[in-house]
Amino acid sequence: MDMQNVRVRFAPSPTGPLHIGGVRTALYNYLFAKKHNGTFILRIEDTDQTRFVEKAEEYIQEALDWGGITPDESPWNPGEYGPYRQSERKPMYREYADSMIENGTAYYAFDTAEELTEVRERAKAAKMPNWQYNHITRNSMQNSLTLSEDLVKEKIEAGEAYVIRVKIPRNEEVRFEDEIRGWVTVNTSNLDDKVIFKSDGMPTYHLANIVDDHLMKITHVIRGEEWLPSAPLHILLYRYLGWESTMPKLAHLPLILRPDGNGKLSKRDGDRLGFPVFPLNWTDDNTGEESSGYRERGYFPESFNNMLAFLGWNPGTNEEIFKLQELIQAFTLNRVGKSGAKFDAQKALWFQQQYLRSTDNSELAEMVSPIATEMGYSVNANLPAICGMMKERATFLKDIIEEGSYLFGDISNYDEKTVKKKWKENTPSVLSELKIDFEAISEFTAENIETSFSAFLAKKEIGFGQIGPALRLAISGKGMGPSLFEICNILGKEETLKRINTALETIKK
Ligand code: GLU
């Protein structure tokens, strides 16, 4: 495959928040481009003005930036092939529709919306529910194939509304080789005469998409499987526009499925099962409805990308942790699967956990610090140590603070169950004795605390269970957590002893 000057594009329609399926398409385009030293382009496909949502474009930009997959050419960073919004390219499309009329591969159609509804209803009543404007039905409709040339001219000059439709041949095989699916063959008798140019002066998705891919010198079209049925039409458009020899290669990505594999993953599934299906939070301005995003949930962009990359692709080894640079190295289209990828919320959490754990303690501290401050805690020089200790039990940054709240401030309460089970009658006296031993430790390191504690157990001839849980309760308020000795070390001698005293005074059975 010639891999010179790879140019790929992500071409979302700004109709709402970007679904994670869209982000995955963007990610695969990005990985493919970077792998081949190519260019990753973002084109906004806003030809359908009725579905346009104002803040959707900004959302797309923010989501890609958050993931670190910023386009090389886009509306906000234009290259030589602009504009990058189809609405701003409006004057460019008409000539291509006209050239197809001239070479007989497209025609004017004057049928009004009412007339079309009527034929559809009639067909339905005659038990033919799937009426299509095609090689058979077009012969009885109002178009430049059935009306005289003069009448067509007259109608156009009188300003009558019309659309331009592609003239799909009756019985032809369209064959193409999809980079992921292999050879696909479709007979044109199954296609309809799609509108390529609308009465409002705008091209439809199909025409605009082909014209732009051609003018922007796109080499590979990597997009979702939902566009596979449109591919034969697109191939015909390339042919009719005389561009077949420079047509981009096509690659249709598998769908992202619900966790049970039953159908496409939707926002409803996410709401029902408690995971986001969008990269960032989104509020619908019309309904006020809110949708949660991975970013606000606390995912790192690296774990989000890693998780997304594996929804439909695998490296062919057992290795699963791939940073963006590693994904670029490893990514190939021939390792993208043909069948749908089941979304796995547990796996998403697992990836996040892995990234949190592998993050350097001081780096974690820098990220945790503002969150802790916002939650009303004061932080000190111990923060990296706290992060290092708590990260093994956390998935998100905020878990470090929530799970380790006793390391950020005073104990708010003692876990009742643990008090009931582990605070025995003799606990206060044993703990008071332990306190005396702790007081004698000169250098209060985790190691020295552990040595002193073990010696205490031996001296008293008791097991860990007889005092360990009570000590944990005294210094953390909890029944479970990381190493006792590390907690004591982080708290420091003074605070540890103070907490033991407070527990002795407060916990009553
Ligand atoms: N505008 C289309 C979309 O919203 C683009 C499809 C394509 O990539 O050709 O998905």
Side-chain angles (χ1 to χ4, degrees), residues 152-160:
V152 169
K153 220 170 168 191
E154 212 173 280
K155 278 175 174 288
I156 290 174
E157 271 163 19
E160 212 173 285

PDB file of all heavy atoms in Angstrom, residues 152-160:
ATOM      1  N   VAL A 152     -38.734  21.923 -18.044  1.00  0.00           N
ATOM      2  CA  VAL A 152     -37.732  21.928 -16.961  1.00  0.00           C
ATOM      3  C   VAL A 152     -37.123  23.323 -16.842  1.00  0.00           C
ATOM      4  O   VAL A 152     -37.032  23.897 -15.749  1.00  0.00           O
ATOM      5  CB  VAL A 152     -36.637  20.873 -17.236  1.00  0.00           C
ATOM      6  CG1 VAL A 152     -35.467  21.042 -16.273  1.00  0.00           C
ATOM      7  CG2 VAL A 152     -37.214  19.469 -17.119  1.00  0.00           C
ATOM      8  N   LYS A 153     -36.766  23.888 -17.997  1.00  0.00           N
ATOM      9  CA  LYS A 153     -36.156  25.211 -18.031  1.00  0.00           C
ATOM     10  C   LYS A 153     -37.105  26.250 -17.436  1.00  0.00           C
ATOM     11  O   LYS A 153     -36.726  27.087 -16.608  1.00  0.00           O
ATOM     12  CB  LYS A 153     -35.864  25.581 -19.478  1.00  0.00           C
ATOM     13  CG  LYS A 153     -34.540  26.284 -19.658  1.00  0.00           C
ATOM     14  CD  LYS A 153     -34.219  26.383 -21.117  1.00  0.00           C
ATOM     15  CE  LYS A 153     -33.067  27.321 -21.362  1.00  0.00           C
ATOM     16  NZ  LYS A 153     -32.917  27.610 -22.768  1.00  0.00           N
ATOM     17  N   GLU A 154     -38.359  26.142 -17.870  1.00  0.00           N
ATOM     18  CA  GLU A 154     -39.397  27.067 -17.427  1.00  0.00           C
ATOM     19  C   GLU A 154     -39.559  27.012 -15.896  1.00  0.00           C
ATOM     20  O   GLU A 154     -39.603  28.032 -15.222  1.00  0.00           O
ATOM     21  CB  GLU A 154     -40.712  26.615 -18.066  1.00  0.00           C
ATOM     22  CG  GLU A 154     -41.692  27.720 -18.380  1.00  0.00           C
ATOM     23  CD  GLU A 154     -42.864  27.131 -19.154  1.00  0.00           C
ATOM     24  OE1 GLU A 154     -42.737  26.916 -20.386  1.00  0.00           O
ATOM     25  OE2 GLU A 154     -43.882  26.839 -18.495  1.00  0.00           O
ATOM     26  N   LYS A 155     -39.626  25.816 -15.396  1.00  0.00           N
ATOM     27  CA  LYS A 155     -39.813  25.630 -13.948  1.00  0.00           C
ATOM     28  C   LYS A 155     -38.633  26.239 -13.180  1.00  0.00           C
ATOM     29  O   LYS A 155     -38.821  26.917 -12.167  1.00  0.00           O
ATOM     30  CB  LYS A 155     -39.894  24.129 -13.608  1.00  0.00           C
ATOM     31  CG  LYS A 155     -41.270  23.498 -13.818  1.00  0.00           C
ATOM     32  CD  LYS A 155     -41.166  21.998 -13.561  1.00  0.00           C
ATOM     33  CE  LYS A 155     -42.495  21.283 -13.591  1.00  0.00           C
ATOM     34  NZ  LYS A 155     -43.357  21.552 -12.433  1.00  0.00           N
ATOM     35  N   ILE A 156     -37.439  25.976 -13.679  1.00  0.00           N
ATOM     36  CA  ILE A 156     -36.256  26.492 -12.974  1.00  0.00           C
ATOM     37  C   ILE A 156     -36.243  28.023 -13.027  1.00  0.00           C
ATOM     38  O   ILE A 156     -36.018  28.688 -12.010  1.00  0.00           O
ATOM     39  CB  ILE A 156     -34.962  25.892 -13.567  1.00  0.00           C
ATOM     40  CG1 ILE A 156     -34.894  24.408 -13.213  1.00  0.00           C
ATOM     41  CG2 ILE A 156     -33.719  26.615 -13.028  1.00  0.00           C
ATOM     42  CD1 ILE A 156     -33.753  23.638 -13.828  1.00  0.00           C
ATOM     43  N   GLU A 157     -36.555  28.552 -14.208  1.00  0.00           N
ATOM     44  CA  GLU A 157     -36.552  30.013 -14.343  1.00  0.00           C
ATOM     45  C   GLU A 157     -37.631  30.672 -13.498  1.00  0.00           C
ATOM     46  O   GLU A 157     -37.458  31.786 -12.996  1.00  0.00           O
ATOM     47  CB  GLU A 157     -36.678  30.403 -15.823  1.00  0.00           C
ATOM     48  CG  GLU A 157     -35.290  30.489 -16.448  1.00  0.00           C
ATOM     49  CD  GLU A 157     -35.309  30.457 -17.964  1.00  0.00           C
ATOM     50  OE1 GLU A 157     -36.373  30.727 -18.562  1.00  0.00           O
ATOM     51  OE2 GLU A 157     -34.252  30.131 -18.543  1.00  0.00           O
ATOM     52  N   ALA A 158     -38.728  29.973 -13.320  1.00  0.00           N
ATOM     53  CA  ALA A 158     -39.821  30.511 -12.495  1.00  0.00           C
ATOM     54  C   ALA A 158     -39.517  30.397 -11.003  1.00  0.00           C
ATOM     55  O   ALA A 158     -40.321  30.806 -10.161  1.00  0.00           O
ATOM     56  CB  ALA A 158     -41.121  29.788 -12.831  1.00  0.00           C
ATOM     57  N   GLY A 159     -38.365  29.812 -10.710  1.00  0.00           N
ATOM     58  CA  GLY A 159     -37.966  29.720  -9.297  1.00  0.00           C
ATOM     59  C   GLY A 159     -38.632  28.583  -8.545  1.00  0.00           C
ATOM     60  O   GLY A 159     -38.678  28.593  -7.307  1.00  0.00           O
ATOM     61  N   GLU A 160     -39.128  27.606  -9.262  1.00  0.00           N
ATOM     62  CA  GLU A 160     -39.760  26.475  -8.585  1.00  0.00           C
ATOM     63  C   GLU A 160     -38.704  25.659  -7.824  1.00  0.00           C
ATOM     64  O   GLU A 160     -37.583  25.505  -8.309  1.00  0.00           O
ATOM     65  CB  GLU A 160     -40.430  25.581  -9.635  1.00  0.00           C
ATOM     66  CG  GLU A 160     -41.677  24.904  -9.103  1.00  0.00           C
ATOM     67  CD  GLU A 160     -42.414  24.164 -10.221  1.00  0.00           C
ATOM     68  OE1 GLU A 160     -43.074  24.824 -11.058  1.00  0.00           O
ATOM     69  OE2 GLU A 160     -42.295  22.939 -10.232  1.00  0.00           O
TER      70      GLU A 160
END
